Amino acid sequence: MNFDEQDLGLGSWTRRKFMQMGAASAASLGVMNLAHAEPATTRRTMMDVPFEKRNPRVAMIGTGGRGTSLLGNLLSADAQVVALCDIVKAKAEHAASLVVKAGQKTPELYTDGPHHYEALLARNDVDLVLVATPWSWHAEMSIAAMKHGKDVAMEVPGVTSLEDCWRIVRTSEETRKQCLMLENCCYGYNETLVLRMIQGGEFGELLYGEGAYIHDLREELFSNAGEGLWRRTEHTLRDGNLYPSHGLGPVANYMGIQRGDSFGHIVSMSSPQRGLDKYRKDHLKPDDPRWKERYLTGDMNTSLIKTAKGLTITVKHAVSTPHPYDRINLIAGTKGLFQDYPPRIYFDGMNKNEEWGSLDAWKQYDHPLWKTEGEIAKKVGGHGGMDFIMLYRLLECVRKGLPPDMDVYDAAAWSAIAPLSVTSVSRGSAPVEFPDFTNGKWRKRAISAIATQA
Ligand SMILES: NC(=O)c1ccc[n+]([C@@H]2O[C@H](COP(=O)([O-])OP(=O)(O)OC[C@H]3O[C@@H](n4cnc5c(N)ncnc54)[C@H](O)[C@@H]3O)[C@@H](O)[C@H]2O)c1
């Protein structure tokens, strides 16, 4: 099949057919095309553009739970940390104490209100900024960082609207600065090993995958600290898959999304919302102000993506009902499949009784990063070591002047699931087309550097 010729975003549809039909008649068949948002101006891609080679001076905006944990990993990877920002002074001061404990100079603190990060970004001794604030701040902070000449790495789920997906892409292309999402799950031990097995041809031709963020966050969402101060609000704003990238990022890498294939269209549906209502009833006093809130996000959102090559991906989001933690992390091909939680593998002819096999038998595919840095990663911690591996590799890419493994196009495409799923849910699960943030360049791009490191 010639993918240059065929569908670029509608799965079994072709974009050519779509164009021939005209948007009006395509819309009458129920496929919403939001690609009109693509800017008409000439674009210079950031695909495969390397970091400026240097030992980066790092600043962090947001030193709450995640920021502090990332900071510990950064310091273990010998990053120089020069400035920290948080609206809560005590949090910034605690983070600064970790930097000093690691033998570095006291970093400059920016704690005077929600826009003090702008003063941090105006410094000329910062090269790389990490953003670990509530979701609603990611776009503004990341865009401002690039406009101030800094590379930026923002926490998941990236940005929350389609417009902001385009804004980060355009700003990165215009400023020539990197903007990436810190999707740590792409660096997990199992994820990197399976990615290399796929490259080794063990799964045959890939067919479908599944990812999820199933994590009972009810207690955290109603906490009076940390994410409880802002994340529950997200559940009052929209219904869809609010946090897709932990499950989706690794599957996108397995399938070579933005690297020979791309997301085509999405359909999404949500179950009723009952979990947060029940938790509130069981735990809150009658005069609690949170009784005024109205939760919109369904307890289980299931979204289905069809890729340009016709593969399918299921992405689930469930954070408000009882369930053991699960990212599913499934990939299937013509020869067999892998599924996580717990990790298990099944290949055609592997055994007589249709029993799952162990991933332990495939250690020859251990990722080089885990071979060399696995011990320290496990010691430092952070989701079993994947956080350290991610940051070690990010620093390595900057120090060696390499392109980032995950770039602004990945950040935009993975962020886009949330707003597109919301659109689909609100329209009775109508199919919605993904914009092509790469301007067609995904077709000729090599597979992820995470897979190919020697
Ligand atoms: N990748 C992962 O595994 C992972 C895990 C946890 C959280 N996260 C993500 O990390 C981000 C932060 O989450 P968290 O758990 O640390 O939340 P948190 O509430 O613990 O921390 C957020 C911090 O940002 C600060 N902040 C808010 N507005 C600010 C502003 N305008 N300027 C400066 N600081 C500001 C808050 O005071 C707080 O300290 C979120 O995007 C979350 O989804 C990712």
Side-chain angles (χ1 to χ4, degrees):
M1 272 196 283
N2 178 354
F3 292 109
D4 286 2
E5 290 274 304
Q6 64 127 23
D7 47 348
L8 306 184
L10 294 168
S12 57
W13 295 63
T14 70
R15 185 181 290 264
R16 183 174 296 168
K17 273 188 206 153
F18 187 89
M19 294 303 188
Q20 281 165 359
M21 289 171 70
S25 46
S28 73
L29 287 166
V31 182
M32 269 177 286
N33 178 9
L34 306 179
H36 62 270
E38 186 163 350
T41 49
T42 314
R43 294 174 51 187
R44 274 177 72 206
T45 185
M46 282 298 285
M47 207 174 258
D48 302 324
V49 172
F51 280 106
E52 189 176 329
K53 185 175 170 179
R54 56 187 161 200
N55 189 17
R57 295 160 296 182
V58 181
M60 180 169 286
I61 309 175
T63 53
R66 184 61 178 159
T68 307
S69 159
L70 289 172
L71 182 64
N73 284 278
L74 279 172
L75 293 168
S76 300
D78 296 327
Q80 319 170 56
V81 179
V82 295
L84 301 168
C85 172
D86 200 292
I87 47 172
V88 180
K89 196 170 177 196
K91 291 191 181 184
E93 284 173 347
H94 170 66
S97 76
L98 302 179
V99 179
V100 173
K101 209 165 145 198
Q104 299 192 29
K105 264 181 31 192
T106 309
E108 197 84 34
L109 300 190
Y110 294 81
T111 59
D112 292 341
H115 288 276
H116 207 197
Y117 71 89
E118 288 162 12
L120 177 152
L121 295 176
R123 292 171 68 107
N124 56 15
D125 63 348
V126 171
D127 306 309
L128 174 65
V129 180
L130 267 61
V131 173
T133 51
W135 304 346
S136 57
W137 282 100
H138 291 184
E140 292 316 320
M141 290 171 170
S142 299
I143 288 167
M146 288 186 275
K147 286 189 172 166
H148 278 284
K150 277 85 180 151
D151 294 311
V152 63
M154 67 178 143
E155 258 303 339
V156 298
V159 299
T160 55
S161 72
L162 218 48
E163 191 192 355
D164 282 341
C165 292
W166 278 115
R167 285 173 73 214
I168 58 168
V169 168
R170 285 185 201 129
T171 309
S172 177
E173 290 179 349
E174 283 161 19
T175 59
R176 314 309 294 160
K177 290 292 145 193
Q178 306 287 354
C179 175
L180 56 105
M181 207 203 286
L182 290 166
E183 187 33 84
N184 46 338
C185 298
C186 291
Y187 293 87
Y189 173 82
N190 294 344
E191 286 84 348
T192 52
L193 186 151
V194 169
L195 182 58
R196 286 166 61 81
M197 286 180 70
I198 290 165
Q199 295 309 317
E202 301 291 354
F203 289 79
E205 189 183 338
L206 295 188
L207 299 166
Y208 63 93
E210 188 163 344
Y213 188 67
I214 301 177
H215 190 182
D216 183 356
L217 294 179
R218 289 173 297 170
E219 195 179 334
E220 196 165 351
L221 288 171
F222 279 98
S223 155
N224 288 316
E227 297 198 355
L229 301 179
W230 54 270
R231 189 163 175 166
R232 195 181 60 263
T233 304
E234 300 288 343
H235 288 248
T236 68
L237 302 177
R238 54 198 182 278
D239 184 11
N241 188 327
L242 305 189
Y243 201 69
S245 68
H246 282 334
L248 184 75
V251 175
N253 280 342
Y254 300 151
M255 292 184 175
I257 300 297
Q258 319 263 41
R259 295 158 176 87
D261 200 355
S262 79
F263 297 139
H265 67 274
I266 185 170
V267 294
S268 184
M269 62 178 74
S270 292
S271 77
Q273 181 287 124
R274 299 281 183 269
L276 297 189
D277 282 351
K278 177 166 174 9
Y279 190 91
R280 178 167 65 177
K281 189 160 175 270
D282 294 346
H283 294 87
L284 265 53
K285 297 206 171 89
D287 58 348
D288 193 295
R290 289 171 289 185
W291 275 104
K292 291 203 178 81
E293 295 173 347
R294 189 167 158 254
Y295 307 116
L296 301 180
T297 313
D299 288 334
M300 169 62 85
N301 174 273
T302 305
S303 300
L304 263 171
I305 300 169
K306 184 91 166 158
T307 77
K309 282 186 177 178
L311 280 65
T312 58
I313 309 171
T314 312
V315 202
K316 293 180 174 171
H317 176 260
V319 298
S320 46
T321 46
H323 201 300
Y325 184 90
D326 197 342
R327 295 200 304 273
I328 300 179
N329 188 20
L330 181 152
I331 188 71
T334 47
K335 292 187 184 174
L337 80 160
F338 167 78
Q339 181 169 356
D340 221 328
Y341 301 90
R344 59 214 130 125
I345 204 150
Y346 183 80
F347 285 132
D348 211 9
M350 199 168 82
N351 58 47
K352 291 192 184 108
N353 305 319
E354 296 190 13
E355 285 160 5
W356 291 95
S358 165
L359 200 60
D360 293 344
W362 299 89
K363 285 206 171 295
Q364 70 270 31
Y365 285 102
D366 271 2
H367 195 282
L369 277 173
W370 277 96
K371 279 193 207 156
T372 59
E373 308 303 324
E375 279 307 306
I376 174 167
K378 281 185 215 148
K379 210 165 106 198
V380 176
H383 298 104
M386 62 166 76
D387 295 355
F388 176 83
I389 298 284
M390 169 183 71
L391 291 174
Y392 173 90
R393 172 67 183 159
L394 172 61
L395 291 169
E396 179 181 66
C397 287
V398 187
R399 287 168 177 157
K400 292 185 174 170
L402 304 171
D405 293 341
M406 305 176 285
D407 61 18
V408 71
Y409 305 105
D410 297 309
W414 298 352
S415 296
I417 312 296
L420 294 176
S421 69
V422 170
T423 302
S424 180
V425 167
S426 72
R427 304 198 181 177
S429 308
V432 186
E433 190 187 3
F434 278 79
D436 176 7
F437 297 105
T438 74
N439 207 11
K441 292 194 164 46
W442 58 267
R443 274 169 275 165
K444 297 215 165 100
R445 190 183 193 190
I447 51 158
S448 167
I450 306 174
T452 56
Q453 288 159 64

